[in-house]
Amino acid sequence: EDGLSRSFDGGRTWREVATGASVNSSTHLTADSAGGLYINGDGIYRASWAADSWTKISYDLTSGIVRSLVVDGGGRLLTGFDGHLFRSDDAGQHWVRDAGDWQAHALLSLCADGAGLLFAGSDGGAILRSADRGENWTIVYQDSTVPYVVSLAASNNGHLAAAILGR
Protein backbone atom coordinates (compact mmCIF):
# COMPACT_ATOMS: atom_id res chain seq x y z
CA GLU A 1 0.00 0.00 0.00
CA ASP A 2 1.19 3.54 -0.75
CA GLY A 3 2.16 5.79 2.11
CA LEU A 4 4.99 7.27 4.12
CA SER A 5 6.86 5.64 6.97
CA ARG A 6 9.54 7.09 9.25
CA SER A 7 12.18 5.61 11.50
CA PHE A 8 13.64 7.32 14.55
CA ASP A 9 16.17 4.58 15.37
CA GLY A 10 18.38 4.31 12.31
CA GLY A 11 15.96 2.12 10.34
CA ARG A 12 15.42 -0.71 12.83
CA THR A 13 11.71 0.07 13.30
CA TRP A 14 9.24 1.99 11.16
CA ARG A 15 5.82 3.52 11.57
CA GLU A 16 3.44 4.90 9.00
CA VAL A 17 2.77 8.64 9.12
CA ALA A 18 0.82 10.42 6.43
CA THR A 19 -1.93 12.30 8.23
CA GLY A 20 -3.08 15.25 6.14
CA ALA A 21 -1.10 14.40 3.02
CA SER A 22 -2.32 12.69 -0.09
CA VAL A 23 0.85 10.70 -0.72
CA ASN A 24 -0.49 7.98 -2.97
CA SER A 25 2.08 7.30 -5.68
CA SER A 26 4.61 9.63 -4.04
CA THR A 27 7.98 9.35 -5.69
CA HIS A 28 10.05 12.05 -4.02
CA LEU A 29 10.95 12.80 -0.43
CA THR A 30 13.56 15.26 0.79
CA ALA A 31 14.58 16.98 4.02
CA ASP A 32 16.18 20.26 5.00
CA SER A 33 18.70 20.99 7.74
CA ALA A 34 16.08 22.84 9.82
CA GLY A 35 14.06 19.65 10.39
CA GLY A 36 11.57 19.97 7.56
CA LEU A 37 10.40 16.96 5.55
CA TYR A 38 8.86 17.40 2.10
CA ILE A 39 6.92 14.87 0.02
CA ASN A 40 5.05 15.00 -3.25
CA GLY A 41 1.54 13.68 -3.73
CA ASP A 42 -1.32 15.71 -5.15
CA GLY A 43 1.00 18.66 -4.47
CA ILE A 44 3.89 19.29 -2.09
CA TYR A 45 3.50 18.74 1.65
CA ARG A 46 5.73 19.74 4.58
CA ALA A 47 6.06 18.34 8.08
CA SER A 48 8.71 18.32 10.78
CA TRP A 49 10.45 15.11 11.81
CA ALA A 50 8.47 15.10 15.05
CA ALA A 51 5.04 15.85 13.55
CA ASP A 52 2.55 13.31 12.31
CA SER A 53 0.56 15.82 10.28
CA TRP A 54 1.38 17.39 6.94
CA THR A 55 0.61 20.81 5.50
CA LYS A 56 0.15 21.39 1.80
CA ILE A 57 2.58 24.11 0.68
CA SER A 58 2.06 24.11 -3.08
CA TYR A 59 -1.20 26.05 -3.39
CA ASP A 60 0.28 28.86 -5.46
CA LEU A 61 2.08 26.58 -7.92
CA THR A 62 0.87 25.70 -11.36
CA SER A 63 -1.31 22.64 -11.63
CA GLY A 64 0.41 19.52 -12.80
CA ILE A 65 2.37 16.58 -11.55
CA VAL A 66 5.18 17.24 -9.08
CA ARG A 67 7.99 15.26 -10.67
CA SER A 68 10.93 16.07 -8.39
CA LEU A 69 12.00 17.74 -5.14
CA VAL A 70 15.36 18.71 -3.66
CA VAL A 71 16.73 20.94 -0.92
CA ASP A 72 20.13 22.42 -1.69
CA GLY A 73 22.90 23.02 0.85
CA GLY A 74 21.62 26.54 1.55
CA GLY A 75 18.08 25.39 2.34
CA ARG A 76 16.49 26.36 -0.98
CA LEU A 77 13.67 23.99 -1.95
CA LEU A 78 13.28 23.29 -5.67
CA THR A 79 10.54 21.35 -7.40
CA GLY A 80 10.15 20.27 -11.00
CA PHE A 81 6.92 19.88 -12.92
CA ASP A 82 6.25 19.17 -16.57
CA GLY A 83 7.77 22.26 -18.16
CA HIS A 84 8.18 24.24 -14.92
CA LEU A 85 10.75 24.70 -12.17
CA PHE A 86 9.94 26.53 -8.93
CA ARG A 87 12.19 27.70 -6.07
CA SER A 88 11.41 28.58 -2.45
CA ASP A 89 13.76 30.12 0.10
CA ASP A 90 11.24 29.99 2.98
CA ALA A 91 10.30 26.30 3.33
CA GLY A 92 7.60 26.49 0.67
CA GLN A 93 5.65 29.48 1.97
CA HIS A 94 6.41 31.46 -1.21
CA TRP A 95 7.49 30.18 -4.61
CA VAL A 96 9.29 31.78 -7.55
CA ARG A 97 8.86 30.30 -11.01
CA ASP A 98 12.13 29.90 -12.86
CA ALA A 99 12.27 32.16 -15.90
CA GLY A 100 14.12 29.57 -17.97
CA ASP A 101 12.60 27.73 -20.90
CA TRP A 102 11.63 24.39 -19.40
CA GLN A 103 8.85 23.66 -21.88
CA ALA A 104 10.95 21.01 -23.59
CA HIS A 105 11.67 19.16 -20.34
CA ALA A 106 9.67 17.15 -17.82
CA LEU A 107 11.92 17.53 -14.77
CA LEU A 108 11.90 13.98 -13.46
CA SER A 109 14.75 14.23 -10.97
CA LEU A 110 16.68 16.85 -9.04
CA CYS A 111 19.72 16.41 -6.79
CA ALA A 112 22.32 18.53 -5.02
CA ASP A 113 25.93 17.81 -4.24
CA GLY A 114 27.83 19.13 -1.23
CA ALA A 115 29.80 21.60 -3.34
CA GLY A 116 26.78 23.73 -4.27
CA LEU A 117 25.91 22.23 -7.64
CA LEU A 118 22.37 21.23 -8.60
CA PHE A 119 21.51 18.66 -11.26
CA ALA A 120 18.24 17.98 -13.06
CA GLY A 121 17.32 14.89 -15.09
CA SER A 122 14.55 14.96 -17.65
CA ASP A 123 12.83 13.16 -20.42
CA GLY A 124 14.73 13.11 -23.69
CA GLY A 125 17.91 12.00 -21.91
CA ALA A 126 18.96 15.47 -20.73
CA ILE A 127 20.98 16.19 -17.60
CA LEU A 128 21.28 19.84 -16.63
CA ARG A 129 23.54 21.57 -14.09
CA SER A 130 23.25 24.77 -12.08
CA ALA A 131 26.16 26.36 -10.22
CA ASP A 132 24.07 29.24 -8.80
CA ARG A 133 21.36 27.51 -6.72
CA GLY A 134 19.02 27.00 -9.66
CA GLU A 135 19.09 30.51 -11.10
CA ASN A 136 20.66 29.36 -14.42
CA TRP A 137 20.90 25.91 -15.98
CA THR A 138 23.13 24.37 -18.65
CA ILE A 139 22.63 21.05 -20.44
CA VAL A 140 25.74 19.04 -19.61
CA TYR A 141 24.66 15.78 -21.22
CA GLN A 142 21.99 14.67 -23.64
CA ASP A 143 21.39 11.28 -25.22
CA SER A 144 18.27 11.02 -27.36
CA THR A 145 18.32 7.21 -26.97
CA VAL A 146 17.59 7.65 -23.23
CA PRO A 147 13.88 8.36 -22.81
CA TYR A 148 13.90 9.23 -19.08
CA VAL A 149 16.49 10.21 -16.46
CA VAL A 150 14.35 9.29 -13.45
CA SER A 151 16.83 9.68 -10.58
CA LEU A 152 20.18 11.34 -9.96
CA ALA A 153 22.75 11.14 -7.17
CA ALA A 154 25.81 13.38 -6.83
CA SER A 155 28.89 13.14 -4.66
CA ASN A 156 31.03 15.97 -3.34
CA ASN A 157 33.92 15.01 -5.63
CA GLY A 158 32.22 15.49 -8.99
CA HIS A 159 30.75 12.02 -9.44
CA LEU A 160 27.19 11.78 -10.75
CA ALA A 161 25.01 8.69 -11.16
CA ALA A 162 21.81 8.54 -13.21
CA ALA A 163 19.03 5.98 -13.20
CA ILE A 164 17.51 5.74 -16.65
CA LEU A 165 14.26 4.20 -17.76
CA GLY A 166 13.19 2.98 -21.15
CA ARG A 167 16.46 2.28 -22.91
Side-chain angles (χ1 to χ4, degrees), residues 133-163:
R133 301 189 69 211
E135 300 288 334
N136 297 286
W137 294 84
T138 303
I139 295 175
V140 293
Y141 180 80
Q142 185 151 19
D143 181 347
S144 61
T145 67
V146 175
Y148 307 103
V149 180
V150 295
S151 187
L152 291 168
S155 71
N156 293 346
N157 62 0
H159 298 168
L160 185 65

Side-chain angles (χ1 to χ4, degrees), residues 9 22 35 54 92 96 116 119 125 131 159 167:
D9 58 8
S22 173
W54 294 81
V96 174
F119 296 92
H159 298 168
R167 186 177 220 168

Side-chain angles (χ1 to χ4, degrees), residues 1-6 14-19 21-29 39-40 54:
E1 182 174 322
D2 293 340
L4 173 69
S5 297
R6 289 188 297 197
W14 293 85
R15 71 181 173 97
E16 188 172 338
V17 287
T19 304
S22 173
V23 296
N24 291 342
S25 302
S26 292
T27 56
H28 293 83
L29 180 67
I39 192 168
N40 73 318
W54 294 81

Side-chain angles (χ1 to χ4, degrees), residues 67-137:
R67 301 280 186 186
S68 51
L69 291 169
V70 70
V71 177
D72 74 5
R76 176 175 280 178
L77 176 63
L78 295 98
T79 183
F81 287 79
D82 290 336
H84 305 285
L85 177 73
F86 290 87
R87 301 183 306 269
S88 175
D89 289 318
D90 57 8
Q93 292 181 32
H94 302 93
W95 294 91
V96 174
R97 182 176 173 174
D98 187 83
D101 180 17
W102 293 96
Q103 296 305 313
H105 304 283
L107 296 176
L108 304 175
S109 56
L110 290 165
C111 78
D113 73 2
L117 296 176
L118 292 168
F119 296 92
S122 74
D123 58 349
I127 297 176
L128 301 95
R129 178 180 58 215
S130 173
D132 57 7
R133 301 189 69 211
E135 300 288 334
N136 297 286
W137 294 84

